[in-house]
Amino acid sequence: MLDAFALLGDGIWQATAPELLAATLIGVVIGLIVGALPGLGPTAGVAIMLPVAVGFGGTAAIAALAGIYYGAMFGGAVTSILLGIPGDAPSVMTVIDGHALAKQGQAGRALGMSVYASFLGGVIGLVLLVALAAPVARAALAFGPTEMTALMCFALSFVTVLGGRNLMKGFTALFIGVWLGMIGLDPIVGPARYTFGFIELFQGVDFPIVAVGLFGLSEMFLSLSRRVGALAERPSLRSLLPNLPDLIKSWWVLLWSSVVGFFVGVLPGLGGTAATMLTYAMAKKSSRNPSEFGTGAIQGVAAPEAANNSASYGSMIPLFTLGIPGSATTAVLFGGLLMIGLQPGPRLFVDNADFVWTIFGTFWIGNLMLVVLTALLIPFLARIVFVSTAVLYPIVFALVIFGVYSINYSMGDVTIALIAGVVGYIMLKLDYAPVPLVLGLVLGPLVERGMRRTLILSEGDLSVFTERPIALTFLLMTVAVIVVPLIVTRMRPVGPPSI
Amino acid sequence: MGRMITHRLLSPVSAMAAVALVALGLGVQGCSGSGEESASSFDASSYPDRDITMVVPFGAGGGSDILSRTIASVIQELDLVPVEIVIENRTGGSGAIGYDYVAKQAGNPYMLASLSVSFFTTPLLGASPVNYADFTPIAAIAMSPYIMAVRAGSPIQSIDDIKAATRLTTGTTGVASDAALLANMLQNQSGVTIDAVPFDGEGEIMAGMLGGHLDFIFGNPVEILPNIQAGTLRAIAVSTGERLQTLPDVPTLKELGFDIEHAQVRGVLMPLGMPPEVVAYWEDILRQVAMSDAWQRAYLDRFKEEPRFAEAEEFAQIIEGTDALYSDILTELGLIQQ
């Protein structure tokens, strides 16, 4: 392991070559932009820049492309916090408390936490990447469809925590989300489901597009029924600056959210968004003040932001150690490796060790660049919440439509976002929490596919879930999440449930 | 970003400005100048006199994208065409959007596209307004074989162990893929039950394979060969008519007594309504590409694919044959009602 850090030291030194520094800077700046633009996420960003970046040649190309990926994790939080619109899928959970804080005039504090969390998540993810890449990659392979399904059941069980005040409404929203996730061609046997004959729906509804409508547009629609105006208070310098004590208060959440995010990120097919949902729910569950979540809990920003950053590094592990792209974004990076003439696969680490360690070096430098860039921008960005919504919303609305359209150049996507906006508006009016819906939309398809793959492999035998130790562990944890609070409430009828 | 030129080597610093522009213009669709062109007014002597658009119906970095970009860069490198070839990624709907766009440009001799698996499967599944009959086949330029492989520690040592099994599992990307097609043919001819589990991408299948969750895999050389070299996978057979240069000791499925010969043919298409001169022009260009050292180096060697050139007529037959294969398996799976 010490060897690994010596190699990394060398890699960081290599990564300070001017050409690599420039490439990394380009990557992270573009990442910030695509992350912040609603709708466009890291996958689109990396794909769009691939042909240009390949022109940089070799290591610089991959440094720039990877920079876009983890840069987007920083950028997504900005839009989520300031405007309540998820900049990309992995920052959806950041909207909930981040935007609530911004509406209370504490945008600087929330942005500050997102920067700390992103940076720490990045550093922890990078340390784990360097120290554990090979063993973690092998361990991840133990996760077959059975284990993935059990893990996703565990994540879904947290809907009991995130469902809002009314359990019935929470589950209703969850099932709407699961249903939305089923729209499109059946992933296992093929026929179209709930597409009503629209070819546009064959590929299913895109999660980032629904999230943009559900969280962002809905709030703008709601503002139409209110008096327009800006926040009453004037921006005090304090409200524009990050708050250091928050960091100390949240260190525990930051630490394990980063670790959990990293390991979920490593697993092929799951991805950063699922990681943010898991860590957000765990942060709420373990909080002394769970009712604060949803109304502006600083840990509600810390957990998902730490998780999505470390997950982005975690997802590089299968790519660099095994040549397995486990997510849409790393699949594009895989193409990038091929285009610059490298052979992604188990021997990349051995045959091109220099390249791999230099790339890991650029990750460290890129992470530093991002923290400096975003920290400098916070006082300026935080002012946005003090702009009158009469001025701000029309501009943002246009940006949202532009962002959604540019993902696939499709007016169908714009329509879906608008419909999601209306649905979100109705949910707000009727006091349905939108979080269970996105939970269902992201995790539902993962559970369904995992379950059906498992059952094909086991020829319909459900006992595989109890025979495999990893799957069994997660299922027992799922049961615990649901049952323990019930028992605790029974025994102690007064007071909030806790574990 | 719609429009992007492929072949210039940019230094990061000088690319900074370009990148900023790209970032600002995200989503602004490539406003390529090529409008409608009527075939009747075609003047062969001056063709081509403006930039050619090569549409990729998928995102950057995928197989179809890399193929198109490499073809374009080899053409430019060998200076075979007096104009530029601009790659345009028009994504969405599993290729339906891009292919529909190209098909609608009937008679426009400045529009190219490349073949893919979705070119066949998406229309057959009823998810595309256009199908293979809406295109002019130009030429096949390479082919990607499939290698049947097992994990290094697998008890399966040869095809005999496959035949002796009662049931085996493998992976496929989506419901309809070449891997599913090959697994289906193998099942029908060997009598072994083969369950092909649909995953969302090749990466997930490889993870399932290396993790021991699947029994075998049908994969392209670019993903299988590095694992064979690293000793994590073992090859059992190849799907081509002849053995591969890269794996001379691995038998073909044909040698092993199966009537199975299938590879993914890479090739170039144009919209309908092409004058014969245009077809001949591109056939000739693609022949020169296929025969060139640059192509061998930049594509075949790098992506471990096999040389395969076919003229328009033969290519059209390949396309029809492939469509029939997919039509059969999708009918068998109950996805096409007849």
Side-chain angles (χ1 to χ4, degrees):
Chain A
M1 198 198 281
L2 282 175
D3 276 0
F5 284 95
L7 288 164
L8 174 71
D10 201 40
I12 293 179
W13 173 245
Q14 301 284 335
T16 55
E19 195 172 72
L20 286 180
L21 282 179
T24 310
L25 184 64
I26 291 172
V28 298
V29 168
I30 301 227
L32 279 175
I33 296 170
V34 295
L37 268 178
L40 278 180
T43 310
V46 174
I48 288 163
M49 288 307 297
L50 177 67
V52 181
V54 167
F56 298 174
T59 317
I62 302 301
L65 291 174
I68 296 173
Y69 186 15
Y70 53 77
M73 299 297 156
F74 272 78
V78 174
T79 335
S80 298
I81 291 169
L82 292 178
L83 304 172
I85 303 167
D88 51 21
S91 65
V92 166
M93 300 309 279
T94 312
V95 171
I96 303 161
D97 285 287
H99 189 54
L101 281 166
K103 281 196 287 192
Q104 294 158 22
Q106 303 187 50
R109 201 176 146 218
L111 284 173
M113 178 47 83
S114 87
V115 174
Y116 300 147
S118 296
F119 179 67
L120 276 175
V123 168
I124 293 170
L126 283 169
V127 168
L128 294 173
L129 172 75
V130 170
L132 300 173
V136 162
R138 278 194 297 274
L141 292 177
F143 275 72
T146 321
E147 287 76 13
M148 300 278 192
T149 312
L151 174 59
M152 286 302 104
C153 285
F154 175 59
L156 262 183
S157 69
F158 281 117
V159 78
T160 53
V161 193
L162 299 178
R165 282 180 295 278
N166 186 325
L167 204 59
M168 201 53 138
K169 287 185 175 179
F171 275 95
T172 308
L174 174 75
F175 286 118
I176 293 176
V178 172
W179 172 71
L180 286 174
M182 288 187 171
I183 293 176
L185 295 179
D186 181 312
I188 305 296
V189 293
R193 299 190 296 200
Y194 308 114
T195 55
F196 307 104
F198 290 105
I199 287 183
E200 291 83 357
L201 288 176
F202 274 33
Q203 292 309 301
V205 291
D206 229 352
F207 169 66
I209 293 167
V210 173
V212 160
L214 204 61
F215 287 96
L217 296 180
S218 63
E219 188 153 334
M220 285 189 244
F221 295 156
L222 192 67
S223 74
L224 290 174
S225 62
R226 287 204 213 105
R227 249 175 65 88
V228 287
L231 281 178
E233 317 117 73
R234 294 307 307 154
S236 66
L237 187 64
R238 221 180 119 66
S239 75
L240 297 181
L241 290 177
N243 184 341
L244 206 59
D246 280 343
L247 183 62
I248 297 150
K249 215 169 70 185
S250 309
W251 73 273
W252 181 238
V253 169
L254 288 168
L255 184 68
W256 59 250
S257 293
S258 305
V259 174
V260 170
F262 177 81
F263 286 106
V264 174
V266 174
L267 299 175
L270 292 190
T273 312
T276 60
M277 291 174 168
L278 196 60
T279 53
Y280 180 89
M282 288 167 77
K284 178 168 182 183
K285 191 101 188 153
S286 64
S287 167
R288 279 196 208 94
N289 244 333
S291 59
E292 202 194 352
F293 279 73
T295 60
I298 199 75
Q299 281 93 352
V301 177
E305 281 307 307
N308 66 26
N309 275 274
S310 63
S312 72
Y313 297 113
S315 71
M316 306 272 188
I317 286 190
L319 178 68
F320 283 103
T321 58
L322 302 170
I324 294 176
S327 67
T329 316
T330 46
V332 184
L333 282 175
F334 183 89
L337 289 173
L338 288 173
M339 286 168 92
I340 62 165
L342 285 173
Q343 184 65 72
R347 296 200 52 86
L348 183 70
F349 230 95
V350 185
D351 295 345
N352 302 87
D354 253 13
F355 163 80
V356 175
W357 287 108
T358 307
I359 287 296
F360 288 180
T362 68
F363 292 176
W364 287 88
I365 290 173
N367 211 25
L368 270 178
M369 286 175 176
L370 281 164
V371 81
V372 172
L373 281 172
T374 45
L376 287 177
L377 285 171
I378 287 177
F380 303 98
L381 291 171
R383 274 172 211 277
I384 288 178
V385 289
F386 297 102
V387 175
S388 163
T389 50
V391 178
L392 189 63
Y393 278 179
I395 299 171
V396 172
F397 190 81
L399 263 177
V400 167
I401 300 297
F402 170 74
V404 168
Y405 177 74
S406 59
I407 299 175
N408 293 319
Y409 308 129
S410 154
M411 279 314 286
D413 288 349
V414 176
T415 313
I416 291 174
L418 289 173
I419 293 172
V422 173
V423 170
Y425 170 81
I426 296 169
M427 289 175 73
L428 279 175
K429 281 286 191 189
L430 300 179
D431 195 29
Y432 281 84
V435 179
L437 193 153
V438 294
L439 220 59
L441 181 52
V442 170
L443 303 180
L446 291 173
V447 172
E448 189 208 346
R449 286 159 207 222
M451 179 70 110
R452 293 174 70 183
R453 283 171 195 151
T454 305
L455 292 179
I456 294 175
L457 288 170
S458 75
E459 296 180 275
D461 184 3
L462 278 169
S463 65
V464 283
F465 285 107
T466 52
E467 281 161 8
R468 292 170 160 262
I470 300 174
L472 182 64
T473 311
F474 281 117
L475 289 177
L476 289 176
M477 283 159 70
T478 309
V479 173
V481 168
I482 296 167
V483 172
V484 171
L486 293 176
I487 297 172
V488 173
T489 338
R490 226 2 111 68
M491 286 162 60
R492 202 162 33 110
V494 201
S498 61
I499 285 187
Chain B
M1 191 73 209
R3 260 180 89 127
M4 230 161 263
I5 297 162
T6 43
H7 50 279
R8 294 215 175 92
L9 229 76
L10 301 163
S11 82
V13 184
S14 74
M16 197 88 87
V19 164
L21 278 174
V22 169
L24 287 172
L26 282 177
V28 179
Q29 229 165 328
C31 2
S32 53
S34 46
E36 300 298 317
E37 187 95 0
S38 73
S40 54
S41 68
F42 184 74
D43 176 11
S45 62
S46 62
Y47 179 82
D49 59 0
R50 54 189 163 77
D51 288 356
I52 310 281
T53 303
M54 191 155 187
V55 172
V56 178
F58 307 92
S64 189
D65 179 71
I66 292 175
L67 173 76
S68 305
R69 288 178 193 281
T70 316
I71 292 176
S73 71
V74 171
I75 291 177
Q76 311 271 356
E77 191 184 322
L78 301 178
D79 208 11
L80 299 176
V81 178
V83 294
E84 302 254 321
I85 297 180
V86 181
I87 303 288
E88 205 175 305
N89 296 89
R90 283 185 177 258
T91 59
S94 290
I97 296 195
Y99 285 124
D100 182 41
Y101 173 76
V102 175
K104 287 221 170 79
Q105 307 266 330
N108 176 357
Y110 292 91
M111 186 67 62
L112 303 175
S114 61
L115 200 65
S116 66
V117 174
S118 306
F119 175 78
F120 300 103
T121 54
T122 308
L124 284 169
L125 291 167
S128 168
V130 296
N131 69 9
Y132 75 94
D134 296 298
F135 295 87
T136 307
I138 302 299
I141 189 161
M143 94 181 156
S144 183
Y146 288 90
I147 301 170
M148 183 184 183
V150 297
R151 209 157 44 104
S154 165
I156 297 170
Q157 295 296 333
S158 69
I159 198 76
D160 293 333
D161 296 323
I162 301 259
K163 286 189 202 159
T166 46
R167 173 184 176 264
L168 295 169
T169 56
T170 186
T172 150
T173 313
V175 185
S177 71
D178 281 330
L181 194 70
L182 286 161
N184 190 263
M185 291 196 263
L186 191 64
Q187 163 170 282
N188 291 344
Q189 295 185 25
S190 66
V192 181
T193 305
I194 296 174
D195 285 322
V197 185
F199 285 87
D200 294 326
E202 274 94 6
E204 287 179 44
I205 299 175
M206 185 58 85
M209 186 66 229
L210 295 176
H213 308 284
L214 301 171
D215 292 322
F216 70 88
I217 182 174
F218 274 114
N220 288 125
V222 71
E223 42 174 353
I224 303 280
L225 284 179
N227 280 291
I228 290 177
Q229 283 152 10
T232 47
L233 291 181
R234 272 188 291 115
I236 298 293
V238 294
S239 70
T240 40
E242 280 159 37
R243 292 191 181 201
L244 304 183
Q245 291 164 7
T246 43
L247 294 171
D249 300 331
V250 178
T252 65
L253 284 167
K254 273 218 139 112
E255 285 174 51
L256 296 168
F258 295 98
D259 180 26
I260 298 173
E261 184 182 341
H262 180 68
Q264 188 180 353
V265 174
R266 313 280 190 186
V268 176
L269 308 152
M270 290 181 86
L272 284 181
M274 284 306 119
E277 298 94 319
V278 171
V279 175
Y281 179 88
W282 285 104
E283 219 176 36
D284 181 52
I285 300 254
L286 293 170
R287 186 198 325 269
Q288 293 180 55
V289 170
M291 303 303 158
S292 68
D293 288 342
W295 178 247
Q296 181 74 37
R297 209 174 47 241
Y299 192 77
L300 299 178
D301 287 351
R302 190 175 285 182
F303 300 100
K304 317 272 186 293
E305 300 205 348
E306 301 284 303
R308 175 82 168 93
F309 179 80
E311 291 183 345
E313 208 172 308
E314 190 193 348
F315 186 42
Q317 286 166 5
I318 295 174
I319 289 179
E320 259 179 70
T322 311
D323 193 74
L325 276 179
Y326 277 114
S327 177
D328 287 349
I329 185 186
L330 291 173
T331 310
E332 198 171 315
L333 292 171
L335 294 173
I336 308 178
Q337 273 80 39
Q338 297 240 307

